[in-house]
Each structure stands twice: as C-alpha cells, then as structure tokens.
Amino acid sequence: MKKTLANASTRKLLMLLVPALIIVQVVAFVFLHFANRNIALESVDSALEGGAQTFLYTAATRKDNRQQTSLLVTKDYGLQHTIANGNRATIESALASQLARTGAELIVLTDLNHKIVARASATQLLNERDMDLDATLEALATEISETGRSIGPLAAGEHTPVLYNWVKATISAPMPIMNIFLGYRVNTMAVEQFTKMTQLKMAFLSQESEGDFVIHTSTLPGIVLNKSIHQHAQSSDNFSAEGTDGAQYRAKVINLGGLQGSNVLAVVAKPFAPVFSPFLRLEGLFAASILFSSFISILATNLITNRVVVPLENVAHRDALTHLANRRLFEINLQNAEQNQQALNTGYAILLMDLDKFKAINDNYGHEAGDAVLKEVALRTKKHVRSSDTLARLGGDEFAILMRTQDLQRVQEAAAAIVNAIRQPIQVRPDQWVNVGASIGIARSPENSTVAAQVLHCADLAMYAAKQQATGFKVYEDTSPT
C-alpha cells in the first residue's frame, strides 16, 4: 500500500493531539498577556491616583506655609513704617529684602483698590518700570483671594508667560491699609522634587481661551502633551499618551483652575514600559516554555505512536506469519476503493489467489514447511505488486491483491508474472525443495460490478475456473454490472 493505516493513524494523532495542545497553550498565553496588561495598567493607575493625592496634599501644605509666611510679612513693623513714608523706591527696596525671607520670586503691594504701590522681583525683567505690567498685575490682583488656590500665567513683554502661585495678605496698622501679594514661580526644581518623591513624571501647562497649551515646566520628555491634553483637559479619568520617541505613558490631568480666564493644569504621568517589562519577561519565559513543551509533545506523541499505536495497529491489521495485510485491512481498503469508484469514477481490480498442491506439502513435510512456502510466496508476490496496491493474506493459502487500476493488460501481466514466480521451486529445508502453483481469479469494477462484495465474489468464481482449467489465471467473463 502507498499509505498504511498505521501511518495514517500516526499522522492523525500528530495533526490532532499536538496542535490541540499548542492551541491550548497559545490561548493561555494570550489570556496571560491581557491579564498582565490589565494588572500593569491597574498598577500604573493606582500609582497615578496616589501621585495626584500626594500632589494635592503637598500643594495644600505649601499654601498654608506660604500663608503663614505672608502674615509674618504683614506684621513687619519696619515694612509698615517704610510703607507709611510713601516713597516707591524705598518701599520696593524693602520688598526686595522680603524676597529671600519668603522664597517668593515676585512681591506686589497694592492699595485696597488694587492699585499698584510698589513691586519687587528676583528677576530683573519684572523690576523694570512698566506701566503695562503694572496694569496686568492690577487686573490680576482683583482675582487673587486670601483663601483657595490662585494660580495663573503672567506674561512680561514678549517672553513666554511664567506660571505663579499667588498668596494674598492684608497689611493693617491697625486698620487695613494695603494688600500684599507673594508670587511663587512654578519651576523645574519643584517638579523634579515631586518626581523624585513619587517616581512620577509631571508637567504644568496653561491655556488662554481656546488656544494651545503652554508648557511651563515638565519632566515628561518628548510626550505629546498638546494633543492628549486637549482631549482630556476636562476629564479626571486616566488616559494613555504616546511620546514622540514612541514610549507609552499613562497620565492624569489635575485641573488647578486659573486667573484671568486662563486654565491651568498639572499632569502626572508614569511610563508604561518599566511597569510592564517584568510581565514581558514572564511572557517570554512562558512563550519559551510553549515552544519547549510543543517540541516535547511532538516527540512524546511520535514515541507513543511508534512504540504503542503502530504495534497495536500491526497486530490488528497485519498477518503474523507473512507480515502482509490481513483480511480486516484488505476489507477496509476495498471499502475505500468502492467509495472512490462511486465518488471519483476510479476503477480497481481484485486478484484472488489460491495455492496449488499446498495441502500435500503440509501433509508430507509438516506445517513448518507449509509456513516457509507461505512466506516465500508472499515475498515473490510482493515484488510484482506496486506500493499503491494492497497485497493481503486472507487466511490459509488464500491471498488477495487490490490493484488501483482499470488497465486490464497491466492486471494480466502482473497475474502472469506472479504465477510464473510462484512456480519456481521453493526451499523448505536445507536439502529439500518443493513445487507449488497458483491459481488467480481476476474481477474488475465497474466492469463486473460497482459493489465491492460482488466484485470479490466474481474474482472467487474466476479463481476456481482457473484452478479447474489449470490456466494460471482467469479473468471473470460476465461483464454485466450488478
């Protein structure tokens, strides 16, 4: 046969069992991947929530400390005396001395109607006389309250706006006489301290009306803030953002309000890769285990098939003496040929062979000699049968050949060659040779019948005719299909 049933079963096991095991493991891998991603995402989101709470708490604490500092400034009698003199230059000099004491970058003094009296700054630009800057500060002062958060950008000239946290206090002597405003610049140092404390990246941004956001300070290298913030500025939900370098971040927006129509936001973010990398390593190990277990599964399946399945199939479908196919396997292949003939219109031929003088050999020389004859007949016959055909021992001295062909001449040539080969003397003992003959009956489908059992019966009738007529082989002559 071209393909034995044992080999077919082996392939079937390999095609079903091993892929099934691999599919199960791949499904488990996919489940693990998404589960790991969800766990990592939850971990990052939890860190963001904690970071946001830490920022708000720190901001509130700083606000209280700065408020206390501003109250100390309002009770400075030297400053009150200087203010009473009314000289702006002298007052600004006094205010400048308060910059180092308070840690503020800008101090603005106004009357109770928010008109600028004096101002001092740690930056030269804001110390210059500028009526437009005074007007801007006066407008800003009207919105700053002593309670709550007051934060907003301040533009000076053509420079990028600077973001300030403002604290307001009232100077009394003993009645209220002036308002003092301390401006604390939101700078990179503060953001870096927050990053070091929470392991989170941070950025401060502001937006005027519906324009683009201005990034005042940030430890978020390369992250595309404008696009992401426009989409999530009004939402407290966490979101994902991609940096210009392709890095993935998980971010959260904290709305800080704003002054003079501005919208100030703090963004806390955490890169996703450091959190997910341990899970990626785990997935790599799991993927390697899948490959290894798949390899082991293939080896194990092949080993079991060769050591267990194939031997069992050989017992079930092979003749123990000649190792040819037995009657069961022949009938299975004959049924397949019948189905192929009906479906594909492919014909076949059956050669049914019975040995002549075999009973006499058994009686005269014993069963060992008979077995030797059967083995030699099997070997000689097999030489004239193609691998695509089925050679079987049906029992006793009866053999059958299923040939997948409709070429009668090819069938007759094979039958003649087999008869001639078997007629040659067969050695049954070192000094003993015997002669046997063979009678072969040939029947074909669909010429004799489309039913396999009927074709086999026709071959049986032809075989007996060949035996009676001593012609070696005989083709069944009734061609009427049944």
Side-chain angles (χ1 to χ4, degrees), residues 42-359:
E42 290 174 2
S43 175
V44 173
D45 284 348
S46 178
L48 287 179
E49 292 298 331
Q53 294 300 320
T54 299
F55 167 75
L56 292 174
Y57 174 78
T58 303
T61 302
R62 284 186 176 181
K63 172 74 175 179
D64 292 340
N65 292 338
R66 289 166 177 173
Q67 197 70 49
Q68 294 298 321
T69 300
S70 67
L71 292 176
L72 292 176
V73 173
T74 62
K75 294 176 182 180
D76 187 320
Y77 291 109
L79 178 61
Q80 292 180 7
H81 180 72
T82 302
I83 292 173
N85 288 336
N87 183 277
R88 179 167 180 169
T90 305
I91 296 173
E92 287 182 346
S93 177
L95 291 179
S97 67
Q98 297 292 334
L99 292 173
R101 178 183 177 186
T102 61
E105 184 176 282
L106 176 62
I107 298 178
V108 178
L109 186 70
T110 70
D111 60 20
L112 297 181
N113 293 319
H114 300 108
K115 297 296 182 181
I116 292 290
V117 174
R119 55 183 167 84
S121 174
T123 62
Q124 182 61 34
L125 178 65
L126 297 179
N127 279 327
E128 296 176 358
R129 291 283 187 267
D130 187 335
M131 295 182 61
D132 291 336
L133 179 58
D134 285 347
T136 299
L137 290 171
E138 288 173 355
L140 193 65
T142 62
E143 297 188 18
I144 300 173
S145 64
E146 293 187 25
T147 59
R149 186 186 294 116
S150 297
I151 186 170
L154 175 64
E158 297 180 357
H159 293 270
T160 302
V162 177
L163 192 61
Y164 284 100
N165 253 317
W166 291 97
V167 175
K168 176 183 178 182
T170 302
I171 299 176
S172 301
M175 299 298 293
I177 57 172
M178 295 285 176
N179 291 322
I180 189 168
F181 301 89
L182 280 68
Y184 294 87
R185 183 173 183 170
V186 179
N187 56 26
T188 302
M189 182 181 297
V191 174
E192 288 176 348
Q193 288 175 349
F194 174 83
T195 297
K196 186 176 181 181
M197 179 172 57
T198 63
Q199 301 302 309
L200 299 177
K201 305 293 184 180
M202 192 171 192
F204 283 91
L205 306 91
S206 68
Q207 180 189 36
E208 299 290 343
S209 301
E210 298 299 325
D212 287 339
F213 282 91
V214 176
I215 302 174
H216 296 282
T217 182
S218 173
T219 55
L220 292 168
I223 192 168
V224 185
L225 286 168
N226 264 323
K227 180 180 178 181
S228 302
I229 299 305
H230 272 296
Q231 297 173 355
H232 301 91
Q234 304 304 319
S235 173
S236 60
D237 295 333
N238 299 341
F239 62 94
S240 297
E242 183 175 349
T244 53
D245 58 353
Q248 294 291 327
Y249 289 83
R250 192 72 175 162
K252 181 180 183 66
V253 172
I254 304 171
N255 199 314
L256 302 178
L259 299 173
Q260 294 184 301
S262 66
N263 184 27
V264 179
L265 304 175
V267 180
V268 290
K270 190 174 183 68
F272 199 67
V275 180
F276 198 53
S277 58
F279 296 103
L280 289 178
R281 289 194 293 270
L282 178 63
E283 289 177 6
L285 291 175
F286 191 73
S289 71
I290 289 177
L291 293 176
F292 180 73
S293 62
S294 299
F295 176 72
I296 294 300
S297 297
I298 293 173
L299 288 181
T301 303
N302 196 32
L303 181 63
I304 292 172
T305 301
N306 291 333
R307 294 292 180 87
V308 179
V309 178
V310 171
L312 288 176
E313 289 178 338
N314 286 337
V315 170
H317 300 114
R318 291 288 173 182
D319 176 61
L321 178 64
T322 63
H323 302 297
L324 299 178
N326 60 12
R327 180 182 291 272
R328 181 180 179 185
L329 183 54
F330 179 81
E331 290 176 348
I332 291 173
N333 289 344
L334 181 58
Q335 183 180 8
N336 290 337
E338 179 184 36
Q339 293 173 351
N340 289 339
Q341 194 279 322
Q342 294 172 356
L344 305 174
N345 196 30
T346 56
Y348 60 91
I350 296 177
L351 288 73
L352 204 58
M353 181 175 72
D354 189 76
L355 299 183
D356 301 331
K357 307 175 187 178
F358 180 74
K359 185 176 184 302

